[in-house]
Amino acid sequence: VTRWKNAVASAATQRELKQDVLYREAAQAFRRNGYHGTSLEDVARALGISKPTLYHYVKNKGDLLFQVHMAGAAQALSTVCHDRTLSGIERLRRTTAAYVRSMIDDESYSVIILEEKSLRPEQLAIVVRERDKFEAELLSMVRDGMRDGSIVPGEPRFALFNVLGAVNWVTKWHRPRGDWSIDEIGDGIATFVCRALSPVPNRFVSGNRLLAPPVPDTIRS
Amino acid sequence: VTRWKNAVASAATQRELKQDVLYREAAQAFRRNGYHGTSLEDVARALGISKPTLYHYVKNKGDLLFQVHMAGAAQALSTVCHDRTLSGIERLRRTTAAYVRSMIDDESYSVIILEEKSLRPEQLAIVVRERDKFEAELLSMVRDGMRDGSIVPGEPRFALFNVLGAVNWVTKWHRPRGDWSIDEIGDGIATFVCRALSPVPNRFVSGNRLLAPPVPDTIRS
């Protein structure tokens, strides 16, 4: 194993880069083996460093889980499409596709949705607050879409919950090195969500084999 | 507290009825407080019985969690629509609506998706096998729908994963005694799913305020 996976480039940003690699590696371990099934030794070994070295970057396993969750929340926010010239549903399409891709990327911090009960209550509260920011962005796209006519009428929060289910569920079923590419999956889930919410659903085709590939106009409704 | 919540009706089926109530009560406790946050004392107290009495019905907390999961898997299977005269998407619509309702009903055994890591590996294997039966039923509806034209072309398993995300996510966000009725939610999620998968999505409206209430034909596509 190479030390720190060769991610260390410049002296100035070394610490940040190392933390970054550490969080990704830890996320992968937590995803694979769960919080209780992961030890700091495992993470240190995967990074090719000693456990004492690891302690320069993280206080303990609980702290590591917390930091990984915070990195995941920041990553989610970074996928938000802020282009206000676009309709609500188009911003939703771009954001869900990017968010899904970010969650299943090899480099993902992922959300580790299943391990939140291992966080301390005060840590969980902070993580939830961070994640709420992302959900609030999605909700505002849904509201805008209902206002601009690009999303069917309804309760915005109900639509949001359905969207979150479809997009977050990918962490439950996706296996790295499966048959479907990350782009196909992101595009396919965004298509699923937008078809469900659009008043003109057949405008949304995934452009790939996973869901609703483009079809001749004649069989469209 | 009434003993066994007055569920005990006839002598012959007493044991089964008691187990039933026990599993529902345990499911509620696990949902509310997690596996580690729930004790057999809590469950016994909620049922108005003693802990020694409880031990006539369950070996230990791990066994209880396992039995609750098995009851949940059986409940899921009971929601499957088997009417082969219906199209694939119509069977999917009825099944997802019934399944969602069953999961958020007060009487639910629920799926307690988040607590599966607390099961022993051999128990988890059995639970997964049971749950796979339900997912296989959904998958066959999707395949039939792609064949009979009621579902857009694509990868059946991909469509299934998206459906499972939307329906299972309800256990993450639903709060008992919220503003939306169980029927509205079941109907709304089934509508979301069918709009996403149908080649003529606007045939699917929820008939309630949550998602895509019926609209005049003029603004349909």
Side-chain angles (χ1 to χ4, degrees), chain A residues 101-181:
Chain A
R101 284 195 304 265
S102 82
M103 279 196 297
I104 57 180
D105 195 284
D106 273 350
E107 302 288 279
S108 171
Y109 305 101
S110 188
V111 180
I112 329 180
I113 292 159
L114 301 181
E115 289 298 344
E116 54 194 24
K117 281 194 177 152
S118 301
L119 289 170
R120 291 203 316 271
E122 70 275 20
Q123 292 178 322
L124 181 59
I126 297 171
V127 167
V128 166
R129 202 160 60 223
E130 281 304 300
R131 243 191 250 153
D132 281 350
K133 291 182 192 168
F134 176 65
E135 298 189 6
E137 293 280 359
L138 290 182
L139 185 60
S140 102
M141 295 174 203
V142 171
R143 282 192 210 284
D144 289 350
M146 287 184 180
R147 222 173 284 131
D148 67 28
S150 63
I151 290 180
V152 291
E155 291 276 348
R157 281 175 53 247
F158 182 76
L160 172 70
F161 291 146
N162 285 284
V163 170
L164 288 174
V167 299
N168 283 332
W169 202 250
V170 73
T171 59
K172 287 273 288 184
W173 60 263
H174 180 257
R175 297 289 167 270
R177 277 159 295 283
D179 282 345
W180 306 330
S181 79

XYZ file of all heavy atoms in Angstrom, chain A residues 101-181:
661
model
N -24.508 10.603 -8.400
C -23.147 10.294 -8.842
C -22.150 10.481 -7.693
O -21.278 9.643 -7.470
C -22.735 11.188 -10.023
C -23.350 10.778 -11.351
C -22.618 11.468 -12.526
N -22.618 12.926 -12.389
C -23.512 13.733 -12.945
N -24.480 13.236 -13.686
N -23.431 15.034 -12.780
N -22.308 11.567 -6.957
C -21.344 11.853 -5.876
C -21.400 10.792 -4.783
O -20.407 10.493 -4.140
C -21.604 13.240 -5.279
O -22.648 13.188 -4.316
N -22.598 10.217 -4.568
C -22.718 9.233 -3.493
C -22.113 7.889 -3.838
O -21.699 7.145 -2.950
C -24.193 9.036 -3.123
C -24.711 10.117 -2.194
S -26.247 9.588 -1.435
C -27.284 9.441 -2.873
N -22.096 7.545 -5.146
C -21.621 6.201 -5.498
C -20.254 6.224 -6.145
O -19.708 5.186 -6.507
C -22.631 5.462 -6.413
C -22.912 6.261 -7.667
C -23.919 5.180 -5.649
C -23.895 5.575 -8.610
N -19.707 7.418 -6.267
C -18.352 7.553 -6.763
C -17.390 6.832 -5.821
O -17.604 6.789 -4.626
C -18.022 9.058 -6.805
C -16.796 9.336 -7.622
O -15.701 9.075 -7.107
O -16.942 9.803 -8.765
N -16.328 6.263 -6.376
C -15.295 5.616 -5.549
C -14.753 6.577 -4.495
O -14.325 6.174 -3.426
C -14.110 5.175 -6.420
C -14.334 3.786 -6.991
O -15.290 3.118 -6.554
O -13.561 3.377 -7.859
N -14.734 7.852 -4.853
C -14.152 8.864 -3.982
C -15.161 9.426 -2.982
O -14.906 10.421 -2.324
C -13.624 10.027 -4.833
C -12.602 9.639 -5.864
C -11.272 9.280 -5.225
O -10.523 10.198 -4.902
O -11.003 8.074 -5.014
N -16.312 8.767 -2.906
C -17.400 9.336 -2.112
C -17.134 9.310 -0.612
O -16.505 8.403 -0.091
C -18.671 8.530 -2.376
O -19.682 8.914 -1.492
N -17.603 10.339 0.077
C -17.671 10.264 1.531
C -18.949 9.533 1.921
O -19.142 9.155 3.041
C -17.711 11.656 2.168
C -16.594 12.559 1.780
C -16.779 13.542 0.831
C -15.358 12.436 2.383
C -15.749 14.392 0.482
C -14.327 13.278 2.035
C -14.524 14.261 1.089
O -13.515 15.089 0.751
N -19.830 9.474 0.975
C -21.149 8.879 1.141
C -21.856 9.416 2.378
O -21.330 10.235 3.110
C -21.082 7.369 1.210
O -22.398 6.862 1.172
N -23.049 8.957 2.563
C -23.891 9.511 3.608
C -23.968 8.532 4.784
O -24.251 8.914 5.913
C -25.296 9.805 3.040
C -26.208 10.391 4.089
C -25.185 10.763 1.870
N -23.663 7.281 4.495
C -23.696 6.251 5.544
C -24.954 6.403 6.373
O -24.934 6.455 7.599
C -22.478 6.320 6.471
C -21.250 6.836 5.720
C -22.178 4.945 7.038
C -20.036 6.927 6.603
N -26.052 6.477 5.656
C -27.334 6.734 6.287
C -27.630 5.729 7.399
O -28.269 6.048 8.393
C -28.440 6.671 5.194
C -28.262 7.851 4.251
C -29.823 6.661 5.810
C -28.901 7.646 2.907
N -27.124 4.523 7.221
C -27.471 3.477 8.176
C -26.715 3.584 9.488
O -27.033 2.905 10.445
C -27.207 2.104 7.556
C -27.978 1.851 6.281
C -27.690 0.466 5.750
C -29.461 2.001 6.539
N -25.693 4.409 9.549
C -24.857 4.430 10.752
C -25.130 5.642 11.633
O -24.369 5.943 12.527
C -23.376 4.380 10.361
C -22.942 3.040 9.817
C -23.089 1.899 10.821
O -23.241 2.166 12.033
O -23.072 0.744 10.390
N -26.229 6.346 11.377
C -26.410 7.572 12.145
C -26.715 7.298 13.613
O -26.462 8.148 14.461
C -27.443 8.503 11.507
C -28.774 7.878 11.228
C -29.601 8.771 10.292
O -29.013 9.567 9.538
O -30.824 8.660 10.344
N -27.214 6.103 13.905
C -27.488 5.809 15.311
C -26.215 5.620 16.118
O -26.240 5.573 17.340
C -28.390 4.567 15.428
C -29.830 4.940 15.138
C -30.852 3.910 15.539
C -32.237 4.494 15.228
N -33.238 3.481 14.949
N -25.079 5.500 15.426
C -23.802 5.390 16.137
C -23.243 6.758 16.507
O -22.273 6.853 17.246
C -22.780 4.634 15.272
O -23.253 3.349 14.950
N -23.838 7.823 16.005
C -23.388 9.170 16.375
C -23.928 9.537 17.749
O -25.001 9.100 18.137
C -23.894 10.194 15.360
C -23.269 10.183 13.966
C -24.061 11.097 13.044
C -21.810 10.616 14.016
N -23.176 10.369 18.473
C -23.695 10.889 19.732
C -24.815 11.883 19.415
O -24.786 12.534 18.367
C -22.588 11.593 20.527
C -21.517 10.620 21.072
C -20.791 11.222 22.292
N -20.437 12.622 22.099
C -19.290 13.022 21.548
N -18.390 12.146 21.147
N -19.046 14.308 21.398
N -25.794 12.016 20.311
C -26.954 12.874 20.008
C -26.567 14.286 19.569
O -27.146 14.818 18.619
C -27.728 12.900 21.334
C -27.332 11.646 22.031
C -25.923 11.346 21.621
N -25.586 14.889 20.234
C -25.223 16.259 19.871
C -24.517 16.296 18.511
O -24.630 17.271 17.771
C -24.381 16.927 20.971
C -22.969 16.392 21.151
C -22.916 15.170 22.073
O -23.974 14.521 22.267
O -21.828 14.849 22.584
N -23.814 15.204 18.174
C -23.200 15.128 16.846
C -24.275 14.924 15.779
O -24.252 15.554 14.725
C -22.222 13.945 16.781
C -20.990 14.101 17.635
C -20.090 12.879 17.555
O -20.577 11.753 17.506
N -18.789 13.095 17.548
N -25.214 14.045 16.093
C -26.303 13.771 15.154
C -27.061 15.055 14.839
O -27.414 15.325 13.679
C -27.249 12.710 15.730
C -28.422 12.308 14.826
C -27.932 11.764 13.488
C -29.313 11.273 15.511
N -27.289 15.870 15.878
C -28.025 17.122 15.678
C -27.297 18.021 14.684
O -27.920 18.644 13.817
C -28.204 17.841 17.020
N -25.977 18.076 14.797
C -25.194 18.916 13.886
C -25.252 18.359 12.466
O -25.448 19.087 11.492
C -23.721 19.018 14.369
C -23.670 19.698 15.740
C -22.872 19.784 13.358
C -22.308 19.656 16.400
N -25.115 17.048 12.337
C -25.159 16.411 11.019
C -26.516 16.632 10.364
O -26.607 16.985 9.178
C -24.854 14.894 11.129
C -25.199 14.179 9.831
C -23.393 14.673 11.494
N -27.573 16.448 11.154
C -28.920 16.624 10.619
C -29.116 18.061 10.146
O -29.702 18.312 9.085
C -29.983 16.235 11.677
C -31.358 16.735 11.273
C -29.987 14.721 11.869
N -28.580 19.022 10.904
C -28.705 20.424 10.518
C -27.998 20.677 9.181
O -28.503 21.398 8.323
C -28.120 21.324 11.612
C -28.626 22.724 11.587
C -28.416 23.435 12.924
N -27.006 23.484 13.261
C -26.510 23.241 14.474
N -27.314 22.946 15.466
N -25.220 23.306 14.701
N -26.827 20.059 9.015
C -26.096 20.226 7.761
C -26.862 19.594 6.607
O -26.973 20.159 5.527
C -24.700 19.602 7.869
C -23.704 20.459 8.610
C -23.577 21.846 8.003
O -23.201 21.960 6.811
O -23.878 22.820 8.719
N -27.382 18.384 6.863
C -28.111 17.684 5.802
C -29.404 18.411 5.466
O -29.856 18.400 4.326
C -28.417 16.255 6.247
C -27.744 15.242 5.369
C -28.277 13.872 5.683
N -27.263 13.073 6.339
C -27.543 12.074 7.162
N -28.792 11.794 7.475
N -26.571 11.386 7.684
N -29.993 19.041 6.472
C -31.223 19.798 6.238
C -31.009 20.910 5.222
O -31.931 21.277 4.492
C -31.745 20.398 7.552
C -32.478 19.360 8.389
O -32.733 18.250 7.866
O -32.795 19.643 9.556
N -29.781 21.446 5.191
C -29.509 22.511 4.224
C -29.665 21.983 2.798
O -30.214 22.659 1.934
C -28.086 23.061 4.416
C -27.886 23.834 5.695
C -26.467 24.378 5.792
C -26.172 24.885 7.191
N -24.729 25.150 7.400
N -29.161 20.781 2.568
C -29.298 20.177 1.236
C -30.764 19.905 0.929
O -31.257 20.220 -0.148
C -28.471 18.883 1.163
C -28.631 18.137 -0.137
C -28.201 18.698 -1.332
C -29.213 16.876 -0.166
C -28.345 18.014 -2.535
C -29.363 16.188 -1.361
C -28.931 16.767 -2.551
N -31.476 19.339 1.898
C -32.887 19.031 1.670
C -33.697 20.306 1.446
O -34.650 20.304 0.664
C -33.439 18.210 2.835
C -32.708 16.877 2.956
C -33.345 15.905 3.949
O -34.437 16.206 4.481
O -32.742 14.854 4.181
N -33.301 21.383 2.116
C -34.000 22.655 1.921
C -33.783 23.167 0.491
O -34.687 23.761 -0.113
C -33.518 23.694 2.934
N -32.604 22.935 -0.055
C -32.340 23.327 -1.448
C -33.252 22.542 -2.396
O -33.859 23.104 -3.307
C -30.866 23.059 -1.812
C -29.859 23.939 -1.081
C -29.751 25.329 -1.703
O -30.436 25.610 -2.701
O -28.982 26.147 -1.152
N -33.334 21.227 -2.160
C -34.212 20.404 -3.016
C -35.659 20.865 -2.880
O -36.393 20.964 -3.857
C -34.107 18.923 -2.619
C -32.801 18.185 -2.922
C -32.928 16.722 -2.504
C -32.446 18.274 -4.396
N -36.065 21.135 -1.637
C -37.447 21.560 -1.404
C -37.739 22.860 -2.145
O -38.824 23.026 -2.720
C -37.696 21.724 0.107
C -39.131 22.050 0.500
C -40.103 20.963 0.049
C -39.232 22.247 2.027
N -36.794 23.762 -2.160
C -37.059 25.040 -2.825
C -37.160 24.836 -4.344
O -37.916 25.531 -5.030
C -36.028 26.095 -2.414
O -35.059 26.278 -3.407
N -36.402 23.867 -4.879
C -36.567 23.551 -6.318
C -37.973 23.017 -6.594
O -38.593 23.355 -7.599
C -35.558 22.475 -6.749
C -34.121 22.934 -6.668
S -32.982 21.565 -7.007
C -31.507 22.206 -6.178
N -38.459 22.153 -5.696
C -39.796 21.584 -5.872
C -40.846 22.692 -5.797
O -41.757 22.762 -6.631
C -40.072 20.494 -4.817
C -41.539 20.055 -4.868
C -39.151 19.295 -5.019
N -40.713 23.565 -4.802
C -41.658 24.689 -4.678
C -41.635 25.560 -5.920
O -42.679 25.930 -6.467
C -41.284 25.557 -3.461
C -41.703 24.987 -2.133
C -41.560 26.073 -1.043
N -41.257 25.495 0.255
C -42.131 24.873 1.033
N -43.382 24.747 0.642
N -41.757 24.386 2.197
N -40.420 25.909 -6.371
C -40.292 26.729 -7.587
C -40.937 26.017 -8.771
O -41.624 26.644 -9.578
C -38.813 27.005 -7.892
C -38.198 27.980 -6.896
O -38.965 28.575 -6.104
O -36.969 28.137 -6.899
N -40.716 24.701 -8.860
C -41.277 23.927 -9.969
C -42.800 23.923 -9.936
O -43.457 24.000 -10.973
N -43.369 23.831 -8.729
C -44.828 23.864 -8.634
C -45.352 25.242 -9.018
O -46.435 25.380 -9.580
C -45.288 23.470 -7.229
C -45.118 21.962 -6.960
S -45.751 21.426 -5.343
C -45.374 19.644 -5.399
N -44.550 26.269 -8.754
C -44.942 27.636 -9.079
C -44.787 27.911 -10.580
O -45.667 28.509 -11.197
C -44.085 28.617 -8.251
C -44.860 29.771 -7.677
C -43.998 30.597 -6.729
N -43.781 29.970 -5.426
C -42.591 29.813 -4.814
N -41.491 30.245 -5.387
N -42.523 29.245 -3.624
N -43.662 27.440 -11.163
C -43.420 27.753 -12.585
C -44.096 26.734 -13.518
O -43.954 26.829 -14.748
C -41.915 27.872 -12.882
C -41.146 26.557 -12.746
O -41.744 25.484 -12.942
O -39.937 26.597 -12.443
N -44.801 25.751 -12.944
C -45.553 24.804 -13.773
C -44.737 23.620 -14.280
O -45.252 22.766 -14.996
N -43.479 23.542 -13.894
C -42.668 22.419 -14.387
C -42.827 21.176 -13.506
O -42.332 20.101 -13.839
C -41.183 22.818 -14.466
O -40.657 23.126 -13.180
N -43.518 21.326 -12.361
C -43.813 20.196 -11.470
C -45.307 20.191 -11.182
O -45.918 21.253 -10.998
C -42.976 20.297 -10.167
C -41.485 20.033 -10.474
C -43.481 19.330 -9.098
C -40.563 20.097 -9.295
N -45.890 18.981 -11.159
C -47.336 18.869 -10.926
C -47.705 19.405 -9.544
O -46.879 19.395 -8.635
C -47.812 17.395 -11.032
C -47.716 16.893 -12.458
C -47.051 16.497 -10.058
N -48.949 19.861 -9.391
C -49.364 20.381 -8.083
C -49.301 19.294 -7.009
O -49.388 18.107 -7.311
C -50.832 20.797 -8.304
C -51.065 20.741 -9.763
C -50.030 19.866 -10.368
N -49.150 19.717 -5.784
C -49.112 18.766 -4.675
C -48.475 19.401 -3.457
O -48.272 20.613 -3.416
N -48.193 18.573 -2.466
C -47.510 19.033 -1.262
C -46.007 18.970 -1.520
O -45.458 17.869 -1.675
C -47.856 18.131 -0.074
C -49.279 18.231 0.413
C -49.460 19.394 1.388
O -48.440 19.962 1.845
O -50.617 19.741 1.673
N -45.326 20.098 -1.525
C -43.890 20.072 -1.839
C -43.104 19.103 -0.952
O -42.246 18.365 -1.441
C -43.451 21.516 -1.600
C -44.687 22.326 -1.806
C -45.831 21.471 -1.339
N -43.422 19.052 0.331
C -42.660 18.162 1.209
C -42.905 16.690 0.864
O -41.995 15.865 0.973
C -42.982 18.436 2.685
C -42.239 19.661 3.221
C -42.624 20.023 4.641
N -42.504 18.931 5.569
C -43.517 18.319 6.213
N -44.763 18.724 6.011
N -43.289 17.347 7.043
N -44.097 16.371 0.444
C -44.373 14.988 0.054
C -43.554 14.612 -1.187
O -42.945 13.534 -1.246
C -45.864 14.791 -0.215
C -46.213 13.375 -0.572
C -46.273 12.403 0.409
C -46.453 13.012 -1.890
C -46.579 11.089 0.086
C -46.748 11.696 -2.223
C -46.816 10.732 -1.234
N -43.532 15.510 -2.160
C -42.719 15.254 -3.356
C -41.253 15.098 -2.957
O -40.561 14.183 -3.427
C -42.896 16.396 -4.360
N -40.789 15.972 -2.076
C -39.391 15.896 -1.617
C -39.073 14.534 -1.011
O -38.038 13.927 -1.316
C -39.119 16.999 -0.588
C -37.758 16.908 0.119
C -36.619 17.229 -0.842
C -37.697 17.822 1.340
N -39.944 14.027 -0.139
C -39.688 12.739 0.516
C -39.535 11.616 -0.514
O -38.695 10.730 -0.364
C -40.827 12.393 1.481
C -40.898 13.276 2.694
C -42.122 13.603 3.270
C -39.744 13.781 3.281
C -42.196 14.407 4.405
C -39.801 14.596 4.415
C -41.038 14.906 4.978
N -40.372 11.648 -1.549
C -40.291 10.623 -2.576
C -38.987 10.723 -3.356
O -38.357 9.716 -3.681
C -41.496 10.730 -3.512
C -42.754 10.191 -2.870
O -42.935 8.994 -2.763
N -43.619 11.083 -2.401
N -38.585 11.966 -3.620
C -37.311 12.178 -4.316
C -36.154 11.657 -3.460
O -35.277 10.916 -3.932
C -37.111 13.678 -4.622
C -35.696 13.946 -5.125
C -38.153 14.155 -5.635
N -36.169 12.006 -2.191
C -35.089 11.569 -1.288
C -35.014 10.045 -1.218
O -33.927 9.468 -1.156
C -35.287 12.149 0.114
C -35.016 13.642 0.263
C -35.388 14.110 1.671
C -33.540 13.959 -0.015
N -36.178 9.396 -1.208
C -36.189 7.938 -1.167
C -35.489 7.347 -2.374
O -34.592 6.509 -2.247
N -35.886 7.813 -3.552
C -35.298 7.261 -4.778
C -33.796 7.525 -4.836
O -33.023 6.640 -5.190
C -35.997 7.854 -6.000
N -33.372 8.732 -4.473
C -31.940 9.051 -4.613
C -31.104 8.422 -3.496
O -30.051 7.840 -3.745
C -31.656 10.577 -4.707
C -32.347 11.174 -5.921
C -32.058 11.320 -3.443
N -31.562 8.486 -2.268
C -30.733 7.959 -1.175
C -30.671 6.435 -1.173
O -29.709 5.856 -0.677
C -31.255 8.445 0.181
C -30.880 9.888 0.455
O -29.867 10.377 -0.041
N -31.700 10.582 1.231
N -31.697 5.805 -1.724
C -31.734 4.335 -1.715
C -30.555 3.732 -2.492
O -30.170 2.584 -2.268
C -33.068 3.838 -2.277
C -33.422 2.456 -1.850
C -33.444 1.319 -2.627
C -33.808 2.034 -0.534
N -33.823 0.237 -1.867
C -34.043 0.652 -0.583
C -33.960 2.712 0.693
C -34.439 -0.094 0.540
C -34.347 1.976 1.806
C -34.576 0.600 1.715
N -29.980 4.537 -3.377
C -28.876 4.017 -4.193
C -27.734 3.496 -3.314
O -27.050 2.536 -3.677
C -28.380 5.097 -5.190
C -27.607 6.195 -4.480
C -27.549 4.477 -6.296
N -27.555 4.084 -2.158
C -26.469 3.612 -1.275
C -26.786 2.227 -0.716
O -25.890 1.539 -0.243
C -26.234 4.580 -0.093
O -27.449 4.698 0.658
C -25.833 5.951 -0.581
N -28.059 1.820 -0.735
C -28.429 0.487 -0.263
C -28.144 -0.598 -1.316
O -27.830 -1.724 -0.973
C -29.937 0.433 0.077
C -30.342 1.160 1.330
C -30.220 0.268 2.576
C -31.283 -0.805 2.634
N -31.181 -1.592 3.895
N -28.351 -0.276 -2.584
C -28.255 -1.329 -3.604
C -27.025 -1.250 -4.487
O -26.648 -2.244 -5.104
C -29.513 -1.383 -4.468
C -29.865 -0.130 -5.241
C -30.758 0.840 -4.872
C -29.352 0.284 -6.517
N -30.833 1.820 -5.833
C -29.983 1.507 -6.850
C -28.428 -0.265 -7.417
C -29.714 2.201 -8.038
C -28.153 0.426 -8.599
C -28.799 1.639 -8.893
N -26.397 -0.094 -4.578
C -25.289 0.027 -5.512
C -24.042 -0.748 -5.060
O -23.639 -0.646 -3.910
C -24.900 1.496 -5.709
C -23.749 1.662 -6.665
N -22.463 1.930 -6.252
C -23.703 1.551 -8.017
C -21.674 1.993 -7.310
N -22.400 1.774 -8.384
N -23.492 -1.528 -5.975
C -22.231 -2.219 -5.708
C -21.164 -1.671 -6.640
O -21.388 -1.623 -7.862
C -22.363 -3.732 -5.944
C -23.358 -4.448 -5.043
C -22.859 -4.549 -3.607
N -23.945 -4.965 -2.712
C -24.778 -4.142 -2.086
N -24.653 -2.838 -2.249
N -25.715 -4.596 -1.293
N -20.026 -1.253 -6.082
C -18.947 -0.760 -6.959
C -18.587 -1.839 -7.979
O -18.689 -3.027 -7.689
C -17.778 -0.530 -5.985
C -18.393 -0.446 -4.622
C -19.630 -1.298 -4.669
N -18.192 -1.417 -9.140
C -17.851 -2.333 -10.232
C -19.021 -3.213 -10.643
O -18.838 -4.348 -11.050
C -16.634 -3.201 -9.863
C -15.301 -2.493 -10.116
C -14.166 -3.093 -9.328
N -14.344 -2.936 -7.897
C -14.137 -1.798 -7.233
N -13.771 -0.712 -7.879
N -14.318 -1.735 -5.923
N -20.253 -2.679 -10.527
C -21.412 -3.366 -11.085
C -21.493 -3.109 -12.582
O -20.593 -2.497 -13.169
N -22.567 -3.552 -13.197
C -22.695 -3.458 -14.652
C -23.025 -2.056 -15.145
O -22.787 -1.737 -16.305
C -23.819 -4.396 -15.136
C -23.348 -5.833 -15.166
O -22.123 -6.049 -15.100
O -24.200 -6.736 -15.248
N -23.632 -1.251 -14.274
C -24.119 0.050 -14.712
C -23.136 1.134 -14.296
O -22.648 1.136 -13.160
C -25.499 0.323 -14.092
C -26.494 -0.767 -14.355
C -26.534 -1.591 -15.450
C -27.586 -1.168 -13.511
N -27.590 -2.465 -15.343
C -28.250 -2.232 -14.171
C -28.074 -0.728 -12.280
C -29.372 -2.860 -13.629
C -29.190 -1.345 -11.738
C -29.828 -2.401 -12.409
N -22.897 2.094 -15.207
C -21.943 3.152 -14.879
C -22.585 4.164 -13.935
O -23.812 4.271 -13.826
C -21.479 3.862 -16.153
O -22.473 4.775 -16.579
